[in-house]
Amino acid sequence: MHLAYPTVVAALLFSVGVYGVLARRNAILVLMSVELMLNAVNLNLVAFDMWLRDPLHGGQVLTLFTIVIAAAEIGLGLAIVLLVFRNRRSVDVDRLRALSERASPDRAGDGDAGDGDGAGDGDGAGDGDGAGDGDGAGNGDAGDGARPGRAAAVEEAAP
């Protein structure tokens, strides 16, 4: 068999994987695209190992190590995706800018403002003073989305 066939297939697999990483927004699809890229590398390793007729089969051994590392990577990646989904109810990678926890919309009565204006998100009756007591009346903390009990910088509202 010629070396060109597996290298062309590997190049196509790698290209599809790169497209998936760059264009997809779903974290699970991004992980699948990374796996496609790793499989393209594995295909090249095995193809070049057979082409060079290595008596120790170093390419195939390295492929086994790559498969083990890919399995560990997918396990950790899915664990992170599940935790992010549990906290944020979304796995859209465009919305994930920081790994810090923010107030979720289902806890609207805890007085977290989250938008920096001190107007509060509790029940829509915020007074905009930013002083916030976290009582769910919409006064808000300091507008930084901090949870009650954490230190937050208090901003003065413009008159």
Side-chain angles (χ1 to χ4, degrees):
M1 181 167 72
H2 295 285
L3 186 62
Y5 298 128
T7 54
V8 167
V9 171
L12 290 174
L13 275 175
F14 196 83
S15 300
V16 169
V18 168
Y19 173 75
V21 167
L22 295 178
R24 298 292 176 196
R25 293 183 178 159
N26 191 339
I28 295 174
L29 292 178
V30 171
L31 287 173
M32 288 174 56
S33 298
V34 170
E35 290 297 317
L36 274 177
M37 293 189 307
L38 286 174
N39 285 331
V41 170
N42 289 340
L43 183 60
N44 271 331
L45 285 171
V46 171
F48 279 100
D49 181 55
M50 295 305 292
W51 183 63
L52 294 173
R53 300 191 198 291
D54 184 16
L56 297 176
H57 300 292
Q60 294 179 19
V61 171
L62 190 57
T63 298
L64 288 175
F65 283 121
T66 307
I67 290 171
V68 169
I69 296 298
E73 174 256 336
I74 229 23
L76 286 175
L78 284 176
I80 291 171
V81 166
L82 286 174
L83 286 174
V84 167
F85 181 76
R86 187 180 300 163
N87 288 334
R88 307 254 176 107
R89 300 287 183 233
S90 174
V91 290
D92 188 7
V93 293
D94 287 338
R95 293 183 184 176
L96 301 177
R97 294 294 178 206
L99 291 178
S100 63
E101 293 182 26
R102 302 268 186 224
S104 63
D106 59 346
R107 296 184 306 174
D110 66 357
D112 289 343
D115 57 357
D117 61 356
D121 292 335
D123 62 356
D127 58 3
D129 64 355
D133 55 0
D135 61 355
N139 294 335
D141 284 338
D144 63 348
R147 287 184 177 172
R150 291 188 180 178
V154 177
E155 298 175 359
E156 294 295 326

